[in-house]
Amino acid sequence: METLTSPVTALRGVGPQKARALEKLGIRTLGDLLRFYPRTYDDRRETKKIGELIPGESVCVSAMIASAPTLAHIRKGMDLVKVRAVDETGVLDLTFFNQSWLKTSLQVGQTYLFYGKAEGTLLRKSMASPIVEQEGLGERTGRIVPVYPLTAGLSQLFLSRIIRLALDVCGDAVPELLPADIRRENALCSAAYAVENIHFPEGDEALALARRRLAFEELFLFALGLAGLRSRRSADRVAPFRDVDMAPFYGALPFSLTGAQRRCIEEALSDMRAGIPMNRLCQGDVGSGKTMVAAACVYFAAKNGRQAALMAPTEILARQHYETLAPLLEPLGLRCALLTGSTGAKAKRETGAALAEGSIDLAIGTHALITGSVSFRDLGLVVTDEQHRFGVAQRAALAEKGLHPHTLVMSATPIPRTLALILYGDLDVSLIDELPPGRQPVETFAVPGSYRPRIYAFLRKHIAQGRQAYIVCPMVESGEEVSDDAKAVKEYARQLQEEIFPNLRVAFAHGKMKPKEKEAVMAAFAAGETDILVSTTVIEVGVDVPNAAVMVVENAERFGLSQLHQLRGRVGRGRHRSYCILISDNRNEEARQRLKILTKTNDGFRLAEEDLRLRGPGDFFGVRQHGLPGLRVADLGCDAQLLQSAQKSAERLLSQDPELSRSLALRARVAELFARNAETLN
Ligand code: ADP
Ligand code: MG
């Protein structure tokens, strides 16, 4: 008797060759096969009369064979079967290539279902190689038909046949992982019904039910797994930080913090007092003042006698942090050091020694901070800025230098909370949902390319007033090659310099430059030595040039709204009125509407929600690379509601049965999913 763990070769028609092809799709067992869900569906329920066929459309026809099929060998190795079918409205000529068996199997006078693309003229209709089935059999005709992702050596027909077979032999054995009460409360169908109908839906409603149930299950398993990670973390005990008088820190700031900044700081400090390692994401729109949240945490750690490390994704950002934080924290008695790739060997040695003996409280740097040679005497806190540029492995490497340091990650990618939960796994989230007072919104315009002369004049005017400008060109993705955006940027900069702005200083930066070169260009711009910086999105993250007041984005329609918002955050950081001009020649109404939204709101979270709605989650930083475990049906964009229900159910189940000892199959499945994805999630 076959079971879910039987190899696919147990099925009739699956030999070693097919098994190898299936393996490429990750399918080894019958269970894998049942979990190999369709990519989409073809609705072939409607059957038409021959007289109604429109050439070009793919459709089902029920028709009777009217003449004996003829078989011709048209070329070496090529057979052609021709036959005529009729119904009461007309005649349909059918041709089949290399299916010579049809000559004998198609019976004159019998009615069959044909599915294919109608061809010919309105008067003389035909179909080439349609799918043929006997009436009432209906696997590939007359119903909603699954469409699977394929690989070489496998066809839709083959896959749907063997999946049908697998369903017949062990569809009923699909384990019901969801506890009955959870199924009842969420109105979820049974596992067996869901698996049957995700492959071969009886109708729209059955498909929707199946989809919903399977999506819920995925999200539920995911929530259980994350909760497991969280509780494993809270099992790590560390000595709680003492409470510290923060008044000197607050008193040293040139401004008073916003309510949101204070709240985030409070949340982080209370984490650190709790005796388990903090693992918090501080999420705030560009310019919301995350650096001060980090500074407060560093102060708190230092006053507890512990060292802190702050990592930035680029050298220039690290230097900027150093230049902001050292003058603030050193008068408060904290010793700060900058350690980057370009720190000289001697300084590096000295700083290294000082870190090891504990005479430095805060080390600010890039990846250099986590290269093997640096060691800390007592690392108590790690802050990473713009965390999506840091891999999990890098964070882990730094964490290993101390005994379970508290970690705070700061991100300006404003993603909806539900998605954050998925993306950042087991992190607790603090939101800075308020900008410092008096911030002027960046005035944003969406214009066609014909406005360029006016835009150039606008740039000239502002540069004459002492401001600087960014011009951003998107990456040109042409098929495989993420090709010559470097060349495009260079060429555009040259053209601007020579033909448009001969009297201004134009520089360029792109991702293919050596980091050193790139940082030099950015540093020159930050120092006001160039007027216009033409670049790809390399300037996207965090660089602070308060004097830059204009940003022009070429081919703006190629960016997501969130990304444009991030880019826009590079201007409007000083006291100057700032502008963002989005150039797009795209006439598509939807694309235009999308850019229009940016001209109307400066709210990064609203834009993120909008992005999620319009483009789905794939466009968010990191989602694609993340490889979320087992989300095959659930769509993070559309299933936010379902995610919430699944989380609630998971939490409740765990509160009743923390070890899942009453749901062993469930526990095993979660373990299996998370073992496979431990790398991406730890
Ligand atoms: P983020 O890293 O969140 O993008 P920053 O920490 O770089 O933002 O802060 C942006 C700017 O706002 C900085 O110049 C900072 O000094 C300033 N700032 C931060 N908090 C406040 C505040 N509460 N009031 C006034 N200005 C602030
Ligand atoms: Mg920042």
PDB file of all heavy atoms in Angstrom, residues 290-291 317 321 385-386 410 542 573, ligand 2:
ATOM      1  N   LYS A 290      16.365  58.005  14.164  1.00  0.00           N
ATOM      2  CA  LYS A 290      16.723  56.719  14.757  1.00  0.00           C
ATOM      3  C   LYS A 290      18.080  56.769  15.452  1.00  0.00           C
ATOM      4  O   LYS A 290      18.308  56.054  16.423  1.00  0.00           O
ATOM      5  CB  LYS A 290      16.744  55.640  13.662  1.00  0.00           C
ATOM      6  CG  LYS A 290      15.362  55.373  13.071  1.00  0.00           C
ATOM      7  CD  LYS A 290      15.377  54.235  12.064  1.00  0.00           C
ATOM      8  CE  LYS A 290      16.081  54.605  10.777  1.00  0.00           C
ATOM      9  NZ  LYS A 290      15.391  55.650  10.006  1.00  0.00           N
ATOM     10  N   THR A 291      18.968  57.639  14.920  1.00  0.00           N
ATOM     11  CA  THR A 291      20.313  57.686  15.485  1.00  0.00           C
ATOM     12  C   THR A 291      20.278  58.002  16.984  1.00  0.00           C
ATOM     13  O   THR A 291      21.074  57.464  17.759  1.00  0.00           O
ATOM     14  CB  THR A 291      21.155  58.747  14.754  1.00  0.00           C
ATOM     15  OG1 THR A 291      20.937  58.592  13.347  1.00  0.00           O
ATOM     16  CG2 THR A 291      22.623  58.589  15.055  1.00  0.00           C
ATOM     17  N   LEU A 317      28.803  56.249   5.956  1.00  0.00           N
ATOM     18  CA  LEU A 317      27.754  56.307   6.977  1.00  0.00           C
ATOM     19  C   LEU A 317      28.329  56.107   8.371  1.00  0.00           C
ATOM     20  O   LEU A 317      27.920  56.764   9.325  1.00  0.00           O
ATOM     21  CB  LEU A 317      26.698  55.242   6.710  1.00  0.00           C
ATOM     22  CG  LEU A 317      25.629  55.647   5.715  1.00  0.00           C
ATOM     23  CD1 LEU A 317      24.815  54.429   5.299  1.00  0.00           C
ATOM     24  CD2 LEU A 317      24.714  56.689   6.332  1.00  0.00           C
ATOM     25  N   HIS A 321      28.066  58.724  11.443  1.00  0.00           N
ATOM     26  CA  HIS A 321      27.599  58.391  12.789  1.00  0.00           C
ATOM     27  C   HIS A 321      28.630  58.820  13.822  1.00  0.00           C
ATOM     28  O   HIS A 321      28.294  59.354  14.869  1.00  0.00           O
ATOM     29  CB  HIS A 321      27.337  56.891  12.913  1.00  0.00           C
ATOM     30  CG  HIS A 321      26.004  56.472  12.369  1.00  0.00           C
ATOM     31  ND1 HIS A 321      24.845  57.161  12.624  1.00  0.00           N
ATOM     32  CD2 HIS A 321      25.633  55.425  11.584  1.00  0.00           C
ATOM     33  CE1 HIS A 321      23.835  56.568  12.024  1.00  0.00           C
ATOM     34  NE2 HIS A 321      24.284  55.514  11.378  1.00  0.00           N
ATOM     35  N   ASP A 385      22.699  49.545  11.718  1.00  0.00           N
ATOM     36  CA  ASP A 385      21.901  50.554  11.048  1.00  0.00           C
ATOM     37  C   ASP A 385      21.557  50.050   9.656  1.00  0.00           C
ATOM     38  O   ASP A 385      22.383  49.447   9.001  1.00  0.00           O
ATOM     39  CB  ASP A 385      22.702  51.852  10.954  1.00  0.00           C
ATOM     40  CG  ASP A 385      21.820  53.020  10.549  1.00  0.00           C
ATOM     41  OD1 ASP A 385      20.586  52.865  10.539  1.00  0.00           O
ATOM     42  OD2 ASP A 385      22.368  54.085  10.244  1.00  0.00           O
ATOM     43  N   GLU A 386      20.334  50.318   9.214  1.00  0.00           N
ATOM     44  CA  GLU A 386      19.882  49.903   7.883  1.00  0.00           C
ATOM     45  C   GLU A 386      20.151  48.422   7.720  1.00  0.00           C
ATOM     46  O   GLU A 386      20.892  47.987   6.870  1.00  0.00           O
ATOM     47  CB  GLU A 386      20.597  50.692   6.778  1.00  0.00           C
ATOM     48  CG  GLU A 386      20.569  52.194   6.970  1.00  0.00           C
ATOM     49  CD  GLU A 386      19.172  52.770   6.869  1.00  0.00           C
ATOM     50  OE1 GLU A 386      18.232  52.004   6.584  1.00  0.00           O
ATOM     51  OE2 GLU A 386      19.023  53.979   7.092  1.00  0.00           O
ATOM     52  N   MET A 410      18.207  48.932  13.215  1.00  0.00           N
ATOM     53  CA  MET A 410      17.442  50.100  12.817  1.00  0.00           C
ATOM     54  C   MET A 410      17.211  50.046  11.330  1.00  0.00           C
ATOM     55  O   MET A 410      18.129  49.797  10.560  1.00  0.00           O
ATOM     56  CB  MET A 410      18.232  51.362  13.166  1.00  0.00           C
ATOM     57  CG  MET A 410      18.581  51.417  14.632  1.00  0.00           C
ATOM     58  SD  MET A 410      19.160  53.040  15.118  1.00  0.00           S
ATOM     59  CE  MET A 410      20.712  53.135  14.267  1.00  0.00           C
ATOM     60  N   GLY A 542      20.781  56.243   3.833  1.00  0.00           N
ATOM     61  CA  GLY A 542      21.356  57.012   4.925  1.00  0.00           C
ATOM     62  C   GLY A 542      22.314  58.174   4.798  1.00  0.00           C
ATOM     63  O   GLY A 542      22.539  58.830   5.779  1.00  0.00           O
ATOM     64  N   ARG A 573      16.845  67.325   4.348  1.00  0.00           N
ATOM     65  CA  ARG A 573      17.444  66.996   5.648  1.00  0.00           C
ATOM     66  C   ARG A 573      18.060  68.226   6.307  1.00  0.00           C
ATOM     67  O   ARG A 573      18.616  68.133   7.368  1.00  0.00           O
ATOM     68  CB  ARG A 573      18.489  65.906   5.467  1.00  0.00           C
ATOM     69  CG  ARG A 573      17.872  64.616   4.959  1.00  0.00           C
ATOM     70  CD  ARG A 573      18.929  63.581   4.646  1.00  0.00           C
ATOM     71  NE  ARG A 573      19.406  62.878   5.833  1.00  0.00           N
ATOM     72  CZ  ARG A 573      18.810  61.835   6.389  1.00  0.00           C
ATOM     73  NH1 ARG A 573      17.697  61.388   5.876  1.00  0.00           N
ATOM     74  NH2 ARG A 573      19.325  61.248   7.426  1.00  0.00           N
TER      75      ARG A 573
HETATM   76 MG    MG B   2      19.932  56.849   9.859  1.00  0.00          MG
END
